[in-house]
Each structure stands twice: as C-alpha cells, then as structure tokens.
Amino acid sequence: MTATGSQRNRRALIILGVSVAIYLITSQGLLPFYDQLRGASSTSSDKTEELRKYRRELSHRGNYEALKTDVRKKLDELKTHFFTNDAAGAAELQRTVEDGAKTVGIDLTQRSTTPPKKVDELTGELTMQTAFEATPNQLVAFLNQLRNSAKIVNVRNAQIDPVQPAYDAPKLGELKKTLRANLTIVGIALLVTEEKVK
C-alpha cells in the first residue's frame, strides 16, 4: 500500500512540475511572442512608411535648389494676394477701400486703421473702421468691389441701420432710402519673409 501511495505522490509531483513548466513557458515565452507577432503588422506598415519618406527625400536630394526656386516663385505669387504687414500695407488697404467706395459713388464719412496684428505664424491682420451712408444697391456694389479686389479683404463686422424706414418696396426701380453703415474691414497680411523660406 505504501508503494502505490509513493508512486502516486511521485506521479502527482511530476504532473505538477510539468504543469508549472508548461505554464512558465506559455506565460513567459509564447504569449509575449504572440503579442509581438500581432503588433508586427502595424510596426511593418510604420517602417514601410518611414522607408518611403526616406526614399522620397533621397530622390529630392539633388533637387533642393530647384525646390527652393519653386517655393520662392509660389511665395511671390501668393504675395500678390496679401497685404504687407506694415504701415504701407495699412495704406494699401485704405486705398483699396476708398477706391471701391469711390467706384460705386459712396463718400466715406469716417475711416480709421489700426496697427497690424499677428494672427498666427503665417498671417496677420490689418483692420479698418469705416462709416458711410448709401442706398442698398450702393452698399451691395461696394461689398462686391471688396470681395473682387486683388487682395484678400474680409468684412469682419457690419452694422447697418436705415436712416429712413421703408414701409414697402418700390413698384419700379431701386429702393432710394438711405442706409447708415459701420463696417470693420480686415485685410490679410502675409508674415513669411525670405529668411523663413531659406
């Protein structure tokens, strides 16, 4: 009876040892290896993208001067649509607004510009406050003049009040009533300089 009991104990210890060994091999070796294999596809795609970027940079290595020339040319084209970020830019914004008003027959009664203000790393704002009286058609034509100007001009704020109330629309022609308008007009200025391009 004691011989069979000790054999049973020995078998139980061997099975326990084999179970512990299987558990350790599985938890310390196979599961981390499986996790590593499962993450290999995303790592592979990241490495492929990194290699693609590196190859693209290698292909452009000899073309840096041509790329710099291209960037300068595109920057010069962009500069034609932006104001300068100084007093000359503010004067140009004022001239653009006054020319647009003069074209449609509006006399600006008040006008004032503020110093340029930085918006982000690339652009700044030049702000101009104007006040005038006009008919609705003149106001619409003036806003179209601003929208179609060569430089980027936005109307940030508009306060429009009727000087004389209109009770009904005219049967023929345009509405002759006068509106009082206070506009905040913003011109976008480009801050990128040649040093930043280099």
Side-chain angles (χ1 to χ4, degrees):
M1 190 131 165
T2 53
T4 58
S6 71
Q7 278 183 342
R8 200 178 299 151
N9 288 342
R10 196 176 311 139
R11 270 192 227 141
L13 285 174
I14 290 172
I15 291 173
L16 179 65
V18 169
S19 298
V20 168
I22 290 173
Y23 171 75
L24 288 175
I25 289 170
T26 304
S27 66
Q28 300 300 319
L30 292 177
L31 291 178
F33 181 69
Y34 174 73
D35 290 340
Q36 196 175 26
L37 282 178
R38 198 170 50 170
S41 64
S42 66
T43 304
S44 170
S45 64
D46 291 344
K47 295 289 184 186
T48 304
E49 184 63 30
E50 190 174 319
L51 182 62
R52 186 178 298 123
K53 287 179 182 177
Y54 180 70
R55 284 183 180 165
R56 187 177 65 224
E57 289 301 319
L58 282 178
S59 70
H60 291 307
R61 183 172 46 180
N63 300 333
Y64 284 133
E65 287 305 317
L67 289 173
K68 285 181 183 177
T69 305
D70 189 40
V71 166
R72 282 191 192 100
K73 186 174 107 179
K74 288 181 179 178
L75 187 60
D76 288 339
E77 289 174 11
L78 277 177
K79 283 182 181 178
T80 61
H81 299 292
F82 290 90
F83 294 95
T84 58
N85 194 35
D86 54 7
E92 188 177 3
L93 173 64
Q94 187 170 352
R95 185 172 53 248
T96 301
V97 171
E98 288 174 353
D99 289 347
K102 197 178 296 183
T103 302
V104 296
I106 294 175
D107 291 325
L108 300 177
T109 55
Q110 292 179 347
R111 63 185 75 81
S112 63
T113 57
T114 59
K117 180 177 73 169
K118 182 177 178 180
V119 175
D120 55 30
E121 293 299 317
L122 297 176
T123 59
E125 289 183 345
L126 305 164
T127 307
M128 180 177 179
Q129 302 282 338
T130 61
F132 56 88
E133 290 186 359
T135 64
N137 285 347
Q138 284 177 321
L139 179 62
V140 170
F142 175 61
L143 293 176
N144 278 331
Q145 287 285 333
L146 293 178
R147 186 181 63 179
N148 295 329
S149 69
K151 307 279 185 173
I152 299 174
V153 179
N154 297 323
V155 176
R156 174 76 42 86
N157 213 354
Q159 180 181 359
I160 301 169
D161 299 315
V163 174
Q164 309 140 340
Y167 296 106
D168 56 352
K171 305 235 185 287
L172 296 171
E174 69 173 272
L175 184 66
K176 298 291 186 194
K177 300 296 182 178
T178 305
L179 302 174
R180 184 176 299 119
N182 293 318
L183 302 179
T184 302
I185 301 169
V186 176
I188 307 299
L190 191 63
L191 301 179
V192 176
T193 60
E194 290 297 322
E195 292 80 30
K196 286 187 181 179
V197 172
K198 290 178 184 176

